[in-house]
Amino acid sequence: MGLIVQKFGGTSVGSVERIQHVAQCVYEEKEKGNDVVVVVSAMGKSTDQLVNLAKEISSQPSKREMDMLLTTGEQVTIALLSMALNQKGLEAVSFTGWQAGIVTEPVHGNARIIEIQTESIDAQLSAGKVVIVAGFQGITENGEITTLGRGGSDTTAVALAAALKADTCDIYTDVTGVFTSDPRFIKNARKLLSVSYDEMLELANLGAGVLHPRAVEFAKNYNVSLQVRSSMERIEGTVIEEEATMEQNLVVRGVAFEDEITKISVLGLTDSLTSLSTIFTTLAQNQINVDIIIQSTTEMGNANLAFSIKSDDLQETISVLEDHKELLGYGQLSAENKLAKVSIVGSGMISNPGVAAKMFEVLATNKIPIKMVSTSEIKVSAVVEERNMIRAVEVLHAAFELANIEAEVN
Amino acid sequence: MGLIVQKFGGTSVGSVERIQHVAQCVYEEKEKGNDVVVVVSAMGKSTDQLVNLAKEISSQPSKREMDMLLTTGEQVTIALLSMALNQKGLEAVSFTGWQAGIVTEPVHGNARIIEIQTESIDAQLSAGKVVIVAGFQGITENGEITTLGRGGSDTTAVALAAALKADTCDIYTDVTGVFTSDPRFIKNARKLLSVSYDEMLELANLGAGVLHPRAVEFAKNYNVSLQVRSSMERIEGTVIEEEATMEQNLVVRGVAFEDEITKISVLGLTDSLTSLSTIFTTLAQNQINVDIIIQSTTEMGNANLAFSIKSDDLQETISVLEDHKELLGYGQLSAENKLAKVSIVGSGMISNPGVAAKMFEVLATNKIPIKMVSTSEIKVSAVVEERNMIRAVEVLHAAFELANIEAEVN
């Protein structure tokens, strides 16, 4: 007997059949004697369809009206899921974000949750009902409808789990858990039974996109026990919690990778004291995300700078830099395309100084040149040529013995 | 300078292009210096699509969840219209039913408006913005989302006009106004410049379906000046107000008609005191709408009964009556199909006792047999054979000189 928050994303509720399947998952949890709160996203492509309607009308629609428009998507899903639960003989009640008491800051498109007033949900749970909450949305103190931005439904689920003091928050996805690497590419990748919040944050940021980083951060701050699991198969997923309890001896817990990276080199910066901040402020103002940044100073007092971006942003990055050449005061500009980032992640690294060295050695032994390097306490990333990416992941996955961990396979 | 409430139905907002056209109508009204509140329905067939989704899940979905589901339709339209107005350089703000302060009784699917708390709308109008309100929906005092049932958006518009003390409430439709008869069938039908609430009520109930009777009743109770007009053509429509100011000398103001009527005869009812109420209670419980009812008593103390129904309901009516034959206690049952109802409507009838007689005479002269008759203070209806319907309308339209009235044609 406990309280479970379940979250189902857009693919999991993409059709009437999928919604009926979700109803079955909820039914089984309820049968175990648990109270259940379900958070759902908009059905499959419905958000995209709404965005397209808006784009037909305006290239820059008002953010307030986009929130008004997009929040209808989850509202459709909660109503249909509630009906599907009724069909199974379960009493259910659906709540929009505002009905669920999800109060956010007065910002449209990317609001943060300030608090959750749980009275309405509490009352319905006490009455024995399944409560279905529209993810991704909230309300300001002035009654304006807001959305939480990307990963919003994950955040809604985690925030509700925290506010309701739920025993666990199950994030249902189309994969069975978090893996040591992407099983679509690395054939002996293993499912991890547990990872820590910080490891999950690094993995999520690195494109192992089963869970939005913001939701993981929220879970970490409120110590919410999360589980990533499959909506299709009834097997244990991966638990995300303060300290990964299993496989404690594992220094590296996963190898993540991401292609379509471009390295930009800016040579001969004249005034390195202010030019660095000027460059990245200018890029940020133009919505260009920069990942790894390396700076070195030459003996003549000039600075050289290299940073990595998504290849998609190449054209705009170049034109922004060229437009501001005089202001930024640099000599030469060059770009190297078709790169990829390979990263090893694990909390155990903190107390194992040799991990980065081992990574470089493994790559060198396999004749894979490293273009850039970046490190954090629990992660080492290396930028390599795109054509070497999968092989780099394979040799690292093998070298850190990730295929040998005692977890379920797939 | 005044305050105008404009209402656009589902067809008028059925596509991005139509929504942009609506934005133009709003823009022109605003340009005249008026404050504008716009009420819109869901886009074209979107409500039907949502209903179909629900039906795939449940044959009898919860009414609460149907309200949750269907209210998303208008919410999509208000957001898109607001964006379209922004594109035209107008400041606009969209409100769902609950944001607009439309409080209803705690009934799902067919709630009545209790009050409108206009503070939010007032504030936005004062700030010079166009306010767009989702029609058809409201909220209970407990924060439950409700819908107003059929004709709900018309009712929202009229209720808002009453609460905001608007100067007029313009109902935009795909016709240019209210006509002396249906111009698709009666070629010299004329558009009326004005009709009274009661006349409109009779015309609306008789299938001249430009305006929902409930909205007309609301307008009558709160003395809201209504105008039915075209969303495609910029011409005056028909004003609906307390006393039709023009054409005061017109005894009959319109000829309405409706086909697919069936007459049911129930002969030899043994106990006329209770059987009448039993029959119609039983039919009502089976959702069968009865229109005209005629009862006569035979010399032997038995009663004969005839009533009219929609032909679609024939099978069910017969089986309901046969299933309850013992309870109802009648002798014989018969049905006459392929009938139609032709009605003349006009406030002037009250003081003109010869109007009904003239109608019967005109039909007799033209050899059109009358099957049933029903009268109210401002209406006389005759049931005739379907094949005679249009001819009956034509001869009545001519006899009451409706083609001669001095109103714009079409």
Side-chain angles (χ1 to χ4, degrees):
Chain A
M1 289 280 286
L3 171 60
I4 314 287
V5 174
Q6 301 184 313
K7 183 259 169 179
F8 296 89
T11 315
S12 301
V13 295
S15 66
V16 164
E17 292 69 33
R18 300 297 300 258
I19 288 173
Q20 285 162 334
H21 179 79
V22 167
Q24 180 62 26
C25 291
V26 176
Y27 182 83
E28 287 170 18
E29 200 64 63
K30 188 76 184 160
E31 279 290 285
K32 292 180 198 159
N34 290 314
D35 283 336
V36 184
V37 172
V38 192
V39 175
V40 287
S41 303
M43 290 174 75
K45 301 287 168 205
S46 69
T47 302
D48 292 344
Q49 286 165 1
L50 291 172
V51 169
N52 288 340
L53 272 178
K55 279 188 183 159
E56 279 187 63
I57 287 175
S58 173
S59 57
Q60 282 217 309
S62 140
K63 285 188 175 178
R64 178 191 186 275
E65 300 301 342
M66 279 307 283
D67 283 356
M68 180 66 83
L69 182 67
L70 296 184
T71 50
T72 62
E74 294 80 32
Q75 191 172 330
V76 167
T77 317
I78 57 172
L80 294 176
L81 179 56
S82 186
M83 292 172 192
L85 287 170
N86 289 162
Q87 271 311 94
K88 289 190 166 290
L90 281 187
E91 280 201 281
V93 60
S94 68
F95 282 146
T96 61
W98 58 269
Q99 287 178 323
I102 298 173
V103 182
T104 75
E105 350 163 272
V107 170
H108 288 290
N110 197 23
R112 283 169 180 278
I113 296 174
I114 295 173
E115 64 160 333
I116 302 188
Q117 295 161 350
T118 59
E119 297 79 9
S120 299
I121 295 180
D122 288 337
Q124 298 291 346
L125 288 175
S126 300
K129 293 187 187 171
V130 173
V131 177
I132 305 160
V133 178
F136 177 70
Q137 55 184 253
I139 186 172
T140 70
E141 278 162 2
N142 290 327
E144 291 282 295
I145 295 173
T146 52
T147 61
L148 310 181
R150 291 198 55 182
S153 291
D154 287 347
T155 306
T156 301
V158 173
L160 277 172
L164 297 167
K165 304 190 187 359
D167 295 285
T168 183
C169 177
D170 286 353
I171 308 285
Y172 285 84
T173 69
D174 48 4
V175 296
T176 58
V178 180
F179 283 73
T180 55
S181 197
D182 189 332
R184 288 172 300 177
F185 298 96
I186 308 303
K187 66 173 190 301
N188 50 11
R190 299 294 163 115
K191 190 172 74 190
L192 293 159
L193 292 180
S194 74
V195 292
S196 72
Y197 296 119
D198 286 337
E199 288 170 333
M200 191 63 214
L201 275 173
E202 291 290 5
L203 290 167
N205 278 318
L206 290 168
V210 289
L211 196 50
H212 199 271
R214 193 166 146 195
V216 180
E217 250 187 85
F218 208 110
K220 184 186 174 187
N221 290 342
Y222 291 90
N223 204 19
V224 173
S225 172
L226 286 179
Q227 185 176 190
V228 172
R229 60 192 306 180
S230 166
S231 62
M232 302 312 288
E233 295 176 65
R234 293 291 186 285
I235 55 175
E236 290 298 297
T238 301
V239 173
I240 301 145
E241 56 196 355
E242 190 41 49
E243 266 308 302
T245 48
M246 315 287 287
E247 312 135 350
Q248 282 287 25
N249 57 336
L250 218 61
V251 174
V252 172
R253 211 174 285 269
V255 185
F257 52 95
E258 192 182 343
D259 60 2
E260 303 202 347
I261 305 279
T262 291
K263 177 186 172 188
I264 305 283
S265 299
V266 186
L267 304 180
L269 281 163
T270 44
D271 177 14
S272 63
L273 204 64
T274 63
S275 59
L276 208 60
S277 74
T278 313
I279 284 182
F280 294 112
T281 306
T282 309
L283 290 173
Q285 281 164 352
N286 287 273
Q287 267 81 45
I288 295 161
N289 278 321
V290 172
D291 184 11
I292 300 175
I293 299 171
I294 293 168
Q295 195 213 2
S296 59
T297 313
T298 65
E299 289 179 4
M300 298 156 69
N302 279 358
N304 292 335
L305 175 70
F307 58 87
S308 71
I309 53 166
K310 293 261 178 199
S311 299
D312 275 352
D313 290 335
L314 175 57
Q315 287 300 2
E316 204 178 340
T317 304
I318 297 292
S319 50
V320 167
L321 291 176
E322 286 180 345
D323 289 352
H324 298 81
K325 186 168 182 178
E326 216 162 313
L327 175 73
L328 301 173
Y330 58 85
Q332 247 190 303
L333 203 58
S334 69
E336 186 173 0
N337 225 324
K338 300 205 171 167
L339 301 178
K341 186 169 70 166
V342 175
S343 309
I344 56 173
V345 174
S347 307
M349 279 183 206
I350 299 173
S351 47
N352 278 270
V355 176
K358 181 169 175 184
M359 180 183 189
F360 304 149
E361 187 202 321
V362 169
L363 292 176
T365 309
N366 286 276
K367 308 221 173 353
I368 298 171
I370 299 172
K371 303 286 181 175
M372 299 174 91
V373 165
S374 150
T375 59
S376 81
E377 292 199 324
I378 63 164
K379 182 194 71 170
V380 184
S381 299
V383 172
V384 299
E385 289 167 68
E386 211 167 81
R387 62 187 177 90
N388 290 327
M389 177 179 75
I390 294 298
R391 199 160 53 85
V393 176
E394 280 168 347
V395 296
L396 290 168
H397 197 267
F400 288 102
E401 300 180 350
L402 292 174
N404 304 337
I405 65 169
E406 290 182 29
E408 298 167 63
V409 178
N410 210 348
Chain B
M1 289 279 285
L3 172 60
I4 314 285
V5 175
Q6 300 183 314
K7 183 258 170 180
F8 295 89
T11 315
S12 301
V13 295
S15 67
V16 163
E17 291 69 34
R18 301 296 300 260
I19 288 172
Q20 286 163 332
H21 179 78
V22 167
Q24 180 61 27
C25 290
V26 176
Y27 182 83
E28 287 171 18
E29 199 66 62
K30 189 77 182 160
E31 280 290 284
K32 290 181 201 160
N34 290 314
D35 283 336
V36 184
V37 173
V38 192
V39 175
V40 286
S41 303
M43 289 174 75
K45 300 288 169 203
S46 68
T47 301
D48 292 345
Q49 286 165 2
L50 291 171
V51 169
N52 288 339
L53 273 177
K55 279 188 184 161
E56 278 187 62
I57 288 176
S58 172
S59 57
Q60 284 217 309
S62 139
K63 284 188 176 177
R64 177 190 186 276
E65 300 301 340
M66 279 307 284
D67 283 355
M68 181 66 83
L69 182 67
L70 296 184
T71 49
T72 62
E74 294 81 31
Q75 192 172 330
V76 167
T77 317
I78 57 172
L80 294 176
L81 179 56
S82 186
M83 293 172 192
L85 287 170
N86 289 162
Q87 270 314 92
K88 288 191 168 290
L90 281 187
E91 279 202 281
V93 61
S94 67
F95 282 147
T96 61
W98 58 269
Q99 288 178 323
I102 298 174
V103 182
T104 75
E105 349 162 275
V107 170
H108 287 291
N110 197 21
R112 283 169 180 279
I113 296 173
I114 295 173
E115 63 160 335
I116 301 187
Q117 296 161 350
T118 59
E119 298 78 8
S120 300
I121 295 179
D122 288 336
Q124 298 291 348
L125 288 175
S126 300
K129 293 188 187 170
V130 173
V131 176
I132 305 160
V133 178
F136 178 68
Q137 56 184 250
I139 187 172
T140 70
E141 279 163 3
N142 290 325
E144 292 282 294
I145 295 174
T146 52
T147 61
L148 310 181
R150 292 197 57 181
S153 291
D154 287 346
T155 307
T156 301
V158 173
L160 277 172
L164 297 167
K165 303 190 186 4
D167 295 285
T168 183
C169 178
D170 286 352
I171 308 285
Y172 285 83
T173 70
D174 48 3
V175 295
T176 57
V178 180
F179 283 74
T180 55
S181 197
D182 188 334
R184 288 172 300 177
F185 297 96
I186 308 304
K187 66 174 192 301
N188 50 10
R190 300 294 165 115
K191 190 171 72 187
L192 292 158
L193 291 181
S194 74
V195 292
S196 72
Y197 296 118
D198 287 337
E199 288 169 335
M200 191 64 213
L201 274 174
E202 291 290 5
L203 289 167
N205 278 317
L206 290 168
V210 288
L211 196 50
H212 199 271
R214 194 166 146 197
V216 180
E217 251 188 85
F218 208 110
K220 183 185 174 188
N221 290 342
Y222 291 89
N223 204 18
V224 173
S225 172
L226 287 177
Q227 185 176 193
V228 172
R229 59 193 304 180
S230 167
S231 61
M232 302 312 289
E233 294 175 67
R234 293 292 186 283
I235 54 175
E236 290 296 298
T238 301
V239 173
I240 301 145
E241 55 195 355
E242 190 41 51
E243 267 307 302
T245 47
M246 314 289 287
E247 312 135 350
Q248 283 286 25
N249 58 336
L250 218 60
V251 174
V252 172
R253 209 174 288 266
V255 185
F257 52 95
E258 193 182 342
D259 60 2
E260 302 202 348
I261 304 278
T262 291
K263 176 186 173 186
I264 306 282
S265 299
V266 185
L267 304 180
L269 281 163
T270 44
D271 179 12
S272 65
L273 203 64
T274 64
S275 59
L276 208 60
S277 75
T278 313
I279 283 181
F280 293 113
T281 306
T282 310
L283 290 172
Q285 281 163 352
N286 286 273
Q287 267 81 45
I288 295 162
N289 278 321
V290 172
D291 184 11
I292 300 177
I293 299 171
I294 293 169
Q295 195 212 5
S296 59
T297 313
T298 65
E299 288 180 5
M300 297 156 68
N302 280 358
N304 293 334
L305 175 70
F307 58 88
S308 70
I309 54 167
K310 291 262 179 201
S311 298
D312 275 351
D313 290 334
L314 175 57
Q315 287 299 4
E316 204 179 340
T317 305
I318 296 292
S319 51
V320 166
L321 291 176
E322 285 179 347
D323 288 352
H324 297 82
K325 184 167 184 181
E326 216 163 314
L327 175 73
L328 301 174
Y330 59 83
Q332 245 188 306
L333 203 59
S334 69
E336 185 172 1
N337 225 324
K338 302 204 168 167
L339 300 179
K341 186 168 71 166
V342 174
S343 308
I344 55 174
V345 174
S347 307
M349 279 184 204
I350 300 173
S351 46
N352 279 268
V355 176
K358 179 168 176 185
M359 180 183 190
F360 303 148
E361 185 201 321
V362 169
L363 292 177
T365 309
N366 286 277
K367 306 220 172 355
I368 299 171
I370 299 172
K371 301 285 180 173
M372 299 174 89
V373 166
S374 150
T375 60
S376 80
E377 291 198 325
I378 63 164
K379 182 194 72 169
V380 184
S381 299
V383 172
V384 300
E385 288 167 69
E386 211 166 82
R387 63 187 176 90
N388 290 328
M389 178 178 76
I390 294 298
R391 199 160 53 87
V393 176
E394 282 169 348
V395 296
L396 290 168
H397 197 267
F400 289 102
E401 299 180 350
L402 292 174
N404 304 338
I405 64 170
E406 289 184 28
E408 298 166 62
V409 177
N410 211 352

